[in-house]
């Protein structure tokens, strides 16, 4: 084929690079303007992270405080009073005394209380014979709360018993073996410490996969790509024009989260900020890559958004270990989580925030994310052709 | 540049598509063509002929299944990017970024094409001047009128001078003024820069201006050559017939179309232009005819009639007993005003329409036609003035008052997933038809609009012409007294347009009042009375003959509706300054 | 009246046909609820199974062996390592190989035999402090069992007071019993709200909405025509999840179906109302999708699905008052697990009815009067 001679100098290498840069920059500028002008992009990219930060930081908590319980003490005694006082003074309970079991059960059925501590009339007599028991009834509907309450209740009763024995009563403790437990990285067991860093995963997945899939599918659906295709622009430049702005938007969400975590909620950052930023950038790439991949396969907004929700957002929320520990899941599901990028990112986030720069965790997880980014971009590039239909 | 080779060279191109049902559709069936460097070539043919598919193949957006196609000497299947680097392409629906401004859209394409700042300083003023978009540079593309969007699309395509320009129906939905301007731009480029242009169009007068015409039908090339060679087909067969005194030309035209000796008939300047089936055949009975020079459209219609089954002529009957009752005013608009913020879209418009009239609203893009329509139909509240449709303001009246009107929107707007039958059933229910009546009306619609063979197809997959028929059928199920049609023929091919107007003519005969907007000025000939709007104001009103009287004298030919329209709008704009500049300020 | 009914029937029929004819819509109706309920059902649990732990037994006595056997036999823990040096503890926890390290000191058996008290050390990975707390509690329960048996075997006195704990409604305190019935409301909301918001936005984008507005159909009829099919879809999806809960996860259903649906119907209608309200505000499908998502997230998070409403600060508890899911969760859980009757649920029912009563008329009014 005879190449036209007069176009050859235009295709010289430095010009080619300059042309590529100019085209990509133009696409980035265009996309950024669109983001700024569309209230729904801003809602998802900026407003949503702020709402989530407030909710996760202030509203959501797995830590039980002031659980309402009823105390039913059928016959007062020193021991019974000791137990009742224990519950009244505990920060975990909001104890109220009711006179009969019937009344307490009514309250429980209405779920006005989470539990009943019942001291029977023969309690004092049984204490003397060393065989007394306090009945604890729990409202089991919310099993997690119930279990926490159970532990607090056992502890409270145990302490009361111990105080009595310390005061010289001739009874042994509930030994002989006791547990000294230490919860590393989060001694006080503050659930914000893992919820707030986990938010970064949610927000990056939303802007990366969900929003990117949606806007790219919109271009296909509205036919805006048809004219763009018949220009010197390359398919990879079109992709790059999408990646950069949404990457930027995601990093704004990231910055908001880190700011909130450190300044508002005082979550410790034991690792280095640089490593945190680095792995977050990597995850953002994976996320945007996934969004682009979805839209290159499903070229309709509705289908793309549904796929993005089911394949990226829900897994990031449920299967990443952010809220529910992967180690509690059935083995099949645990194996399945191996293919989820969010899983590796959550591990990295929890480690970098709470444990520190532990390279034996950071390196393998980062490597997996890098591999995923590479595979996704390669697949997207293959699937994105400047062709219609 | 390799001048020796033609700009476009294709042989035996075949392209098939999978329709949603899994059915294989052959869009192009062995197309061969050559387009030489320099000059204009036109691609014409009815809807579904394969024009868009062919152009998309040339642009490298599709790959041919069989055959070869080279553009600018490059095999398009092998190296589409090399072609895309050098051509300009304007798709039928130019996907402008609606949330970017005019300038930003233009900048984007300039950047993508690598236009330097220096070149821009030269090209931008030219483009802005040619397209008259200058005053709107900061306006969001989504808020431009249809014609302005097309012009912006063309401007984006022309930011740099390509080696070859492919234009797919660039003037669809564009008013005559903008259409003329667009063509001036194109012709200028051809003349001054020696550009090669391939344009597909359903305006046959546009094809006449090109050096070459390629007529396509059903995925094949019917004829190619200079337009003159196609016009020749109708040599000695073109005539003008004068209707009886006091009768609209459309009635005579409808009669002539039903005559087996007549291939084609259209109203023209108060008379009817017809093409006889053969040059030596007898003229239609009882009609005085004068021979005229054939034009491209005559040859094109004759060619299509030979190639394709001419089909039945479209007729339409609501099956009502009553005939037209002249004189009663059914639609009355006075001092109608509509403002969008500081912008006045409709500015003290008044008119009245009588029973059984066909009333046309003409005007350039953005003149306020659609806004007026939406107010009449009760879709938009008026800012001022009064509206009476069948005695009530539809926005304020009880919902049942809408029983008396039918509305066909500009864009096909029925349920695409639902089948033809299901759409009709839905609208029957929406208009309160039930039981036997419902069955009768649906059967009527199926028969009158010849929809029965496609009854089960999802309406979204109907061919263009059938969509239009279905939309009409749905709007007529409840036998409305008044029918609103917003640019019903925009984007339709000449055959479909003839068919459509035949139906409208028949409806008006049965006493249905019809209010219609259109960009095709020759279609104003079908109307009893028209008003011409620009910048929200009425510039002229009257019968088609009265409107034609505004046209400047022309030595060569009889003035057309289009000449008159352009003269009226331009004069008004000279007096008031350009309307857009006021609104943009 | 007859005409009005006819129009509503036509609208409903059209909606149903559009859904049934589109294979994509069919998939979206049934697959996500099924998939999500399975996924959530397995994943959303705070209970531990096979939690990896490591043992550092410096004592290696019969007594310590007994304790370790109890840990292993619990089914909760699964040993991933046996530690020889205390320096290994940090590595195992840091690398997330073990959630827990149980450290038994060298004089464990000696102290026990001498009748002295002794202790074991439990180190948990607190990066997810909730899991860590649960794990420690499990160990604690196992050690309690060990203690009781040791005391009985060695004639020691039991503590004067023991606690006799019993949980109502969920005897084994399994979180899935709480979570999966909660999904009935959550997944239904996720789907119904988005589908409803989209359906009107799609009609606007396609221009069919204008076509509706020029027919004699009244806005209230459009509203009903959209609301009825959406409500039906919502109830079908709720039923799918209910079936998954009962047939797959085998969670016993304590209440009456009639009561459950009595609560679900106003809930679904409230969601339809919110969906239609969103759709009356937005310009296109993308906005419908994103805005409904932005509304859904806080609704789900504040509903009490994963974290109890009672744990939230007051301001947020007030916010939950406009969240229909909050009431739906209460209803589904109480009917499902506690067998509550409609009379007990009045407090949950009227807020949802109020939400519908506000959003639906506004949406209907906006259909025609929206600023364009």
């Amino acid at each position: 084929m005879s190449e036209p001679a007069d176009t050859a100098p235009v295709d010289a290498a430095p010009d080619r690079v300059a042309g590529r840069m100019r085209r990509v920059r133009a696409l980035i500028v265009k996309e950024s303007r669109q983001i700024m002008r569309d209230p729904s992009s801003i809602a998802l990219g900026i407003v949503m992270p702020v709402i989530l930060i407030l909710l996760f930081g202030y509203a959501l908590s797995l830590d039980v405080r002031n659980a309402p319980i009823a105390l039913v003490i059928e016959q007062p005694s020193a021991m019974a009073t000791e137990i009742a006082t224990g519950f009244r003074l505990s920060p975990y309970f909001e104890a109220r005394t009711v006179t009969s079991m019937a009344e307490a059960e009514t309250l429980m059925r209405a779920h006005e209380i989470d539990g009943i501590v019942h001291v029977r009339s023969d309690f004092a007599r049984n204490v003397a014979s060393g065989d007394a028991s306090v009945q604890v009834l729990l409202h089991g509907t919310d099993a997690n709360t119930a279990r926490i309450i159970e532990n607090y209740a056992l502890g409270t009763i145990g302490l009361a018993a111990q105080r009595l024995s310390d005061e010289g009563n001739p009874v042994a403790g509930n030994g002989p073996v006791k547990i000294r437990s230490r919860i590393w990285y989060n001694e006080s067991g503050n659930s914000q410490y893992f919820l707030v860093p986990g938010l970064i995963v949610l927000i990056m997945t939303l802007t990366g996969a969900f929003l990117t899939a949606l806007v790219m599918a919109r271009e296909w659906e509205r036919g805006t790509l048809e004219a763009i295709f018949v220009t010197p622009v390359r398919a990879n430049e079109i992709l790059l024009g999408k990646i950069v702005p949404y990457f930027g938007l995601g990093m704004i969400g990231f910055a908001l989260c880190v700011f909130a975590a450190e300044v508002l909620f005082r979550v410790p950052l034991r690792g280095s900020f640089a490593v945190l930023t680095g792995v977050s950038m990597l995850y953002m790439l994976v996320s945007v890559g996934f969004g682009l991949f979805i839209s290159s396969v499903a070229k309709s907004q509705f289908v793309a958004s549904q796929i993005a929700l089911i394949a990226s957002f829900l897994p990031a929320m449920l299967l990443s270990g952010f809220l529910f520990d992967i180690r509690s899941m059935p083995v099949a599901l645990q194996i399945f989580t191996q293919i989820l990028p969010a899983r590796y990112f959550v591990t990295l986030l929890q480690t970098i925030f709470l444990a520190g720069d532990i390279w034996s965790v950071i390196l393998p997880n980062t490597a997996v994310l890098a591999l995923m980014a590479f595979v996704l971009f390669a697949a997207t590039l293959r699937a994105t052709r400047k062709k219609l239909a | 540049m390799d001048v020796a080779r033609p700009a476009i060279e294709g042989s035996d191109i075949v392209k098939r598509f999978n329709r949603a049902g899994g059915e294989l559709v052959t869009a192009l069936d062995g197309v061969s063509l050559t387009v030489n460097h320099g000059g204009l070539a036109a691609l014409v043919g009815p809807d579904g002929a394969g024009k868009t598919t062919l152009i998309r193949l040339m642009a490298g957006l599709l790959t041919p299944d069989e055959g070869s196609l080279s553009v600018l000497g490059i095999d398009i299947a092998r190296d589409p990017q090399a072609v895309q680097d050098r051509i300009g392409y304007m798709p039928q629906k130019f996907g402008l970024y609606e949330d970017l401004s005019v300038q930003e859209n233009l900048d984007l394409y300039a950047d993508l094409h690598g236009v330097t700042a220096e070149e821009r300083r030269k090209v931008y003023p030219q483009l802005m001047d040619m397209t008259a978009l200058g005053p709107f540079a900061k306006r969001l593309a989504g808020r431009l009128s249809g014609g302005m969007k097309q012009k912006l699309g063309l401007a984006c395509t022309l930011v740099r001078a390509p080696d070859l320009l492919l234009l797919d129906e660039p003037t669809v939905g564009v008013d005559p003024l903008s259409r003329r301007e667009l063509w001036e731009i194109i012709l200028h480029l051809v003349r001054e820069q020696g550009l090669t242009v391939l344009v597909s169009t359903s305006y046959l007068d546009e094809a006449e201006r090109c050096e070459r015409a390629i007529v396509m039908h059903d995925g094949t090339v019917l004829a190619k050559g200079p337009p003159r060679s196609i016009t020749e087909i109708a040599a000695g067969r073109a005539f003008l017939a004068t209707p009886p005194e006091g009768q609209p030309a459309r009635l005579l035209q409808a009669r002539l179309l039903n005559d087996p000796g007549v291939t084609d008939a259209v109203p023209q300047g108060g008379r009817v232009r017809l093409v006889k089936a053969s040059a030596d055949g007898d003229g239609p009975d009882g009609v005085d005819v004068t021979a005229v020079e054939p034009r491209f459209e005559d040859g094109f219609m004759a060619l299509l009639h030979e190639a394709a089954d001419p089909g039945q002529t479209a007729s339409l009957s609501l099956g009502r007993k009553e005939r037209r009752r002249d004189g009663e005013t059914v639609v009355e608009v006075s001092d109608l005003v509509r403002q969008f913020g500081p912008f006045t879209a409709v500015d003290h418009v008044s008119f009245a329409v009588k029973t059984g009239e066909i009333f046309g609203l003409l005007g350039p893009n953005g003149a306020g036609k659609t806004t007026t329509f939406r107010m009449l139909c009760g879709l938009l509240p008026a800012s001022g003035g009064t509206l009476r449709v069948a005695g009530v303001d539809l926005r304020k009246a009880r919902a049942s008052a809408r029983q008396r009107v039918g509305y066909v929107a500009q864009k096909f707007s029925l349920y695409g997933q639902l089948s033809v039958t299901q759409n009709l059933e839905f609208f029957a229910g929406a208009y309160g038809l039930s039981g036997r009546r419902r069955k009768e009306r649906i059967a009527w619609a199926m028969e009158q609009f010849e929809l029965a063979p496609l009854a089960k197809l999802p309406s979204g997959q109907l061919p263009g012409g059938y969509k239009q028929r279905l939309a009409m059928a749905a709007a007529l199920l409840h036998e409305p007294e008044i029918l609103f049609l917003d640019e019903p023929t925009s984007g339709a091919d000449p055959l479909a347009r003839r068919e459509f107007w035949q139906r409208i003519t028949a409806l008006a005969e049965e006493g249905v009042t019809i209010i219609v907007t259109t960009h095709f000025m020759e279609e104003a000939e079908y109307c009893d009375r028209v008003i011409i709007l620009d910048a929200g104001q009425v510039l002229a009103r009257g019968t088609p003959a009265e409107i034609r009287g505004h046209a400047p004298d022309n030595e060569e030919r009889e003035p057309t509706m289009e000449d008159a329209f352009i003269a009226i709008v331009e004069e008004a704009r000279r007096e008031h300054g350009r309307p857009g500049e006021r609104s943009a300020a | 009246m007859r005409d009005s009914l006819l129009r509503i029937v036509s609208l409903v029929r059209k909606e149903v046909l559009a859904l049934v004819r589109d294979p994509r819509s069919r998939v979206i109706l049934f697959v996500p609820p099924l998939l999500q309920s399975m996924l959530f059902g397995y994943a959303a649990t705070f209970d531990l199974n096979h939690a990896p732990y490591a043992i550092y037994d410096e004592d290696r006595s019969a007594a310590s062996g007994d304790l370790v056997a109890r840990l292993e036999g619990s089914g909760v823990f699964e040993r991933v390592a046996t530690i020889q040096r205390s320096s290994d503890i940090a590595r195992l926890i840091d690398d997330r190989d073990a959630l827990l390290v149980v450290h038994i000191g060298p004089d464990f058996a000696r102290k026990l035999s001498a009748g002295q008290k002794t202790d074991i050390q439990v180190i948990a990975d607190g990066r997810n402090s909730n899991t860590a707390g649960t794990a420690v509690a499990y160990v604690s329960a196992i050690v309690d069992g060990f203690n009781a048996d040791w005391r009985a075997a060695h004639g020691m006195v039991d503590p004067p007071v023991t606690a006799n704990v019993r949980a109502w409604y969920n005897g084994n305190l399994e979180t899935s019993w709480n979570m999966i019935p909660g999904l009935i409301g959550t997944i239904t909301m996720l789907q119904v709200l988005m589908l409803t918001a989209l359906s009107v936005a799609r009609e606007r984008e396609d221009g069919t909405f204008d076509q509706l507005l020029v027919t004699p159909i009244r806005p209230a009829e459009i509203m009903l025509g959209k609301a009825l099919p959406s409500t039906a879809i919502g109830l079908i999806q709720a039923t799918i999840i209910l079936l998954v809960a009962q047939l797959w996860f085998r969670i016993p259903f304590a209440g009456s179906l009639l009561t459950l649906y009595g609560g679900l119907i106003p809930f679904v209608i409230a969601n339809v109302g919110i969906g239609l309200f969103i759709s009356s505000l937005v310009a296109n499908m993308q906005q419908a999708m994103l805005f409904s998502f932005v509304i859904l997230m806080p609704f789900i998070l504040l509903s009490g699905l994963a974290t109890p409403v009672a744990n939230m600060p007051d301001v947020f508890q007030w916010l939950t008052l406009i969240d229909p899911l909050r009431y739906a969760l209460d209803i589904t859980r109480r009917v499902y697990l506690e067998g509550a009757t409609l009379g007990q649920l009045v407090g949950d029912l009227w807020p949802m009815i109020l939400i519908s009563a506000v959003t639906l008329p506004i949406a209907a009014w906006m259909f025609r009067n929206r600023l364009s």
Side-chain angles (χ1 to χ4, degrees), chain A residues 1-2 4 22-23 26-27 30 33-34 37 219 223-224 226-234 386-388, chain B residues 2 56 60-63 73 81 84-87 89 91 94-95 97 99-100 104 109 111-114:
Chain A
M1 191 163 305
S2 63
R22 188 186 45 239
R23 292 192 293 265
L27 289 169
K30 165 231 138 197
R33 283 183 173 137
Q34 286 188 297
R37 283 172 201 173
E219 297 240 16
T224 41
E226 189 172 350
I228 297 268
F229 278 169
V230 191
T231 67
V233 79
R234 308 298 196 261
K386 294 209 297 177
K387 294 279 176 211
L388 295 174
Chain B
D2 191 354
R56 283 179 171 173
L61 293 170
L62 296 171
T63 319
Q81 186 62 61
Q84 288 166 354
D85 285 350
R86 295 172 53 196
I87 64 171
Y89 165 62
F94 194 97
Y97 290 99
D99 34 15
L100 295 190
E104 287 162 352
Y109 278 88
D111 283 331
L112 293 181
H113 280 295

Side-chain angles (χ1 to χ4, degrees), chain A residues 150-211:
Chain A
E150 175 185 3
N151 286 325
Y152 291 148
L154 290 176
T156 308
I157 292 168
L159 276 174
Q162 196 141 23
R163 272 202 298 280
L164 281 182
S165 54
D166 288 350
E167 282 160 21
N169 288 15
V171 283
N174 55 350
V177 179
K178 280 174 58 180
I179 292 181
R180 277 188 296 121
S181 66
R182 283 199 52 207
I183 297 186
W184 281 12
Y185 315 127
N186 188 355
E187 289 291 344
S188 56
N190 187 341
S191 59
Q192 275 182 3
Y193 280 17
F194 69 94
L195 289 179
V196 175
L199 250 184
I200 296 175
V201 182
L202 280 194
I203 287 166
M204 291 195 142
T205 310
L206 273 181
T207 26
F210 185 62
L211 195 56

